[in-house]
């Protein structure tokens, strides 16, 4: 059911609502013939998309301030907002098929919506200490929307945290090509997570080859510049999830040779920070979420070392 929007309720019904779902703003007027054709199509599709988008209507005659703010020159005009910002739109009474094409570019599919809901439930379960429940929900989320990188990353990460290496490898397989893109320099937030997980899996492999941390300790005692030993020790600590100890070991390498082994220590250090960064808490619009103190401290240490 569409909502009539005025200046008074615009902030709540459009700007705030678009933080959660895409909002379609239909600018119309009672005398407009094409508006009477497009309106029922939009209402039908809002119902068909089952809450994955929201439709609001603005009478451009009575709400001229809003029409002017959006630069409306003719009606009907439809503007789509996400996260408080207009991202797309169209003018004129398009047929239903064309409106569907427009919506499908911006509105998440039912599978995507279900997977995100399962992911959020999994994170809540983890916060409550229900690890197995979280794992089950993430497994379901990946099965529901296999192309969702964020959900798959969360699933692989939890598998590695639990030591389920074979299952983690299998779940990671679709990321192989994307990990190569990371190596080629096409860096995105998703690829940084993928790279971090790949390095965690590599640490498991190294730990299987040499599981005795004492062997590394002996080599380092004999030669503080045995960077291979230091790096191997750091990888064992990663497998044991002794994150700060692993970071400290990598810092020992970086203090002596910042670019050792094609930046391997620095890249692994950054990957660990990615792995231990907790999910950002939800904050009000315009506010910056607080940084995790451990991550912030070790970021500063790396910056100080690089800049010194």
């Amino acid at each position: 059911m569409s909502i009539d929007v005025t200046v008074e309720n615009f902030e709540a019904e459009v700007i705030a609502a678009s933080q959660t779902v895409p909002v379609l703003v239909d600018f119309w007027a009672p005398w407009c013939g094409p508006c009477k054709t497009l309106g029922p199509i939009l209402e039908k599709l809002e119902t068909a998309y089952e809450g994955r988008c929201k439709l609001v209507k603005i009478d451009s005659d009575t709400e001229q301030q809003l029409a002017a703010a959006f630069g409306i020159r003719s009606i009907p005009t439809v503007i789509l907002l996400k996260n408080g910002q207009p991202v797309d739109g169209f003018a004129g009474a398009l047929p239903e098929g064309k409106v569907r094409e427009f919506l499908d570019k911006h509105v998440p599919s039912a599978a995507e919506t279900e997977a995100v809901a399962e992911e959020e439930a999994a994170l809540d379960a983890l916060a409550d200490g229900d690890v197995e429940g979280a794992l089950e929900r993430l497994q379901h989320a990946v099965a529901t929307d296999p192309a969702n990188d964020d959900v798959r990353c969360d699933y692989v990460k939890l598998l590695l945290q639990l030591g389920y290496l074979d299952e983690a490898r299998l779940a990671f397989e679709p990321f192989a090509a994307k990990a190569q893109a990371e190596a080629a320099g096409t860096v995105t937030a998703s690829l940084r997570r993928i790279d971090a997980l790949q390095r965690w899996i590599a640490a498991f492999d190294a730990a299987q080859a040499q599981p005795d941390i004492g062997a590394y300790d002996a080599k380092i005692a004999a030669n503080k510049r045995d960077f291979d030993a230091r790096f191997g020790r750091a990888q064992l600590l990663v497998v044991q999830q002794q994150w700060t100890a692993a970071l400290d070991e990598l810092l020992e390498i970086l203090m002596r040779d910042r670019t050792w082994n094609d930046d391997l220590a620095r890249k692994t250090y950054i990957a660990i920070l990615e792995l231990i960064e907790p999910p950002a808490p939800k904050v009000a619009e315009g506010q910056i979420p607080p940084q995790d103190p451990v991550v912030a401290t070790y970021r500063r240490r790396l910056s100080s070392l690089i800049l010194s």
Side-chain angles (χ1 to χ4, degrees):
M1 185 70 177
S2 62
I3 297 171
D4 292 322
V5 164
T6 65
V7 170
E8 286 72 24
N9 65 355
F10 178 81
E11 178 69 29
E13 298 293 351
V14 178
I15 300 300
S18 71
Q19 305 292 335
T20 306
V21 295
V23 175
L24 280 175
V25 183
D26 176 22
F27 286 91
W28 73 295
W31 51 262
C32 169
C35 297
K36 296 176 183 178
T37 301
L38 180 63
I41 292 174
L42 295 175
E43 292 178 2
K44 175 184 175 182
L45 291 177
E46 182 192 28
T47 300
Y49 279 73
E50 299 178 317
R52 290 178 282 122
C53 66
K54 176 182 178 179
L55 173 65
V56 303
K57 299 175 74 68
I58 296 179
D59 185 332
S60 58
D61 282 353
T62 60
E63 299 298 329
Q64 294 182 15
Q65 181 180 346
L66 291 176
F70 281 90
I72 302 303
R73 297 180 180 275
S74 64
I75 54 174
T77 292
V78 174
I79 305 294
L80 186 139
L81 284 84
K82 286 184 174 181
N83 299 317
Q85 298 295 324
V87 296
D88 205 349
F90 64 86
L94 297 182
E96 181 178 330
K98 291 295 184 182
V99 179
R100 279 187 179 273
E101 289 179 12
F102 172 82
L103 288 173
D104 287 342
K105 291 189 297 182
H106 303 287
V107 177
S109 67
E112 290 171 329
T113 301
E114 182 180 352
V116 170
E118 285 288 276
E119 179 187 29
E120 291 176 352
L123 294 176
D124 289 341
L126 276 178
D128 293 336
D130 182 9
V131 176
E132 291 301 324
L135 187 62
E136 183 178 343
R137 286 188 176 276
L138 287 173
Q139 186 177 25
H140 177 70
V142 170
T144 302
D145 185 14
N148 189 316
D149 287 352
D150 287 337
V151 170
R152 187 176 292 274
C153 280
D154 286 340
Y155 181 49
V156 173
K157 182 176 180 179
L158 185 54
L159 287 170
L160 291 172
Q161 286 174 331
L162 297 174
Y164 298 159
L165 181 58
D166 291 341
E167 293 88 341
R169 286 187 198 279
L170 185 63
F172 186 84
E173 280 182 2
F175 283 148
K178 293 183 179 182
Q180 291 178 357
E182 166 75 13
T186 310
V187 180
T188 65
S190 176
L191 286 173
R192 283 195 295 271
R193 293 191 72 192
I194 292 169
D195 177 69
L197 292 169
Q198 187 175 45
R199 293 180 189 277
W200 195 354
I201 292 171
F204 272 97
D205 293 337
Q208 289 178 340
Q210 173 52 278
D212 180 13
I213 200 166
Y216 290 124
D217 290 339
K219 290 182 178 181
I220 295 168
N223 177 12
K224 294 187 181 299
R225 294 186 65 85
D226 189 338
F227 299 146
D228 288 318
R230 286 192 179 278
F231 187 75
R233 187 176 191 276
Q235 285 187 302
L236 269 180
L237 292 168
V238 166
V239 170
Q240 297 167 6
Q241 298 178 50
Q242 297 187 43
W243 303 112
T244 56
L247 289 168
D248 290 337
E249 194 65 68
L250 292 170
L251 278 173
E252 291 290 337
I253 298 174
L254 292 168
M255 285 189 294
R256 294 169 172 83
D257 187 343
R258 296 177 191 175
T259 61
W260 172 75
N261 200 357
D262 194 26
D263 269 353
L264 182 59
R266 183 185 63 82
K267 291 174 181 176
T268 304
Y269 188 102
I270 292 171
I272 293 173
L273 294 178
E274 184 72 36
L275 291 170
I276 65 176
E277 181 87 69
K282 293 181 180 180
V283 297
E285 183 182 359
Q287 290 186 348
I288 299 173
Q291 275 195 313
D292 178 77
V294 173
V295 173
T297 296
Y298 277 91
R299 286 195 194 283
R300 285 195 299 271
R301 290 180 182 176
L302 179 62
S303 297
S304 298
L305 185 61
I306 292 173
L307 295 174
S308 63

